[in-house]
């Protein structure tokens, strides 16, 4: 479907706080959307802290967690389980340069963090 040059197709998706537009906009109607929070992450607190530096990572959690390093092809490179509440550092200097994903599992929830090895 080709739209005339003076019309635009706009799709709104519900992010949980947007109720949508009540009716089809009339010709020339302009909507101004204002963000009410500075970040979606304001209400989202992760149960761990994650730091990436000098080709190593540091994870600190007050709960039991598992972590896994996955390469860009989806292959598991390294995996560990930790029952103790502690700050754990992992040296990743043996990995080839590239982009990796660190998968952190706490309870039934899986989180992911992207890291770059230089």
């Amino acid at each position: 479907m080709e739209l005339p040059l003076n019309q635009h197709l706009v799709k709104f998706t519900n992010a949980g706080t947007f109720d949508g537009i009540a009716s089809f906009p009339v010709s020339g109607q302009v909507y101004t959307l204002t963000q009410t929070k500075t970040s979606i992450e304001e209400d989202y607190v992760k149960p761990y802290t994650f730091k990436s530096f000098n080709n190593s990572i540091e994870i600190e959690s007050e709960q039991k967690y598992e972590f896994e390093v996955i390469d860009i092809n989806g292959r598991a490179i390294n995996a560990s389980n930790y029952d103790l509440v502690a700050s754990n550092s992992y040296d990743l200097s043996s990995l080839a340069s590239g982009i990796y994903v660190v998968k952190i599992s706490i309870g039934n929830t899986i989180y992911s963090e992207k890291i770059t090895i230089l």
Side-chain angles (χ1 to χ4, degrees):
M1 177 179 137
E2 192 170 316
L3 297 174
L5 292 177
N6 62 348
Q7 293 183 1
H8 302 280
L9 181 62
V10 178
K11 180 180 180 184
F12 289 96
T13 43
N14 189 344
T17 58
F18 181 69
D19 292 328
I21 297 174
S23 63
F24 189 79
V26 296
S27 180
Q29 176 71 47
V30 176
Y31 287 99
T32 303
L33 304 176
T34 305
Q35 188 175 359
T36 57
K37 293 184 178 182
T38 57
S39 170
I40 292 174
E41 292 186 6
E42 281 183 3
D43 293 333
Y44 182 71
V45 178
K46 294 179 181 177
Y48 65 89
T49 57
F50 180 88
K51 297 175 188 169
S52 175
F53 54 93
N54 296 332
N55 293 341
S56 65
I57 59 172
E58 184 176 294
I59 302 172
E60 184 177 335
S61 177
E62 294 183 4
Q63 301 175 42
K64 174 185 171 182
Y65 70 92
E66 299 174 15
F67 95 99
E68 186 174 18
V69 178
I70 302 166
D71 70 8
I72 199 73
N73 296 317
R75 292 182 299 231
I77 304 296
N78 188 352
S80 296
N81 295 325
Y82 288 92
D83 293 327
L84 300 175
V85 176
S87 177
N88 297 296
S89 290
Y90 310 99
D91 181 21
L92 304 175
S93 60
S94 63
L95 296 179
S97 296
I99 298 172
Y100 296 86
V101 174
V102 177
K103 183 174 91 172
I104 302 168
S105 302
I106 299 177
N108 293 329
T109 307
I110 298 173
Y111 304 89
S112 62
E113 300 281 354
K114 182 184 82 165
I115 58 171
T116 304
I117 302 294
L118 303 174

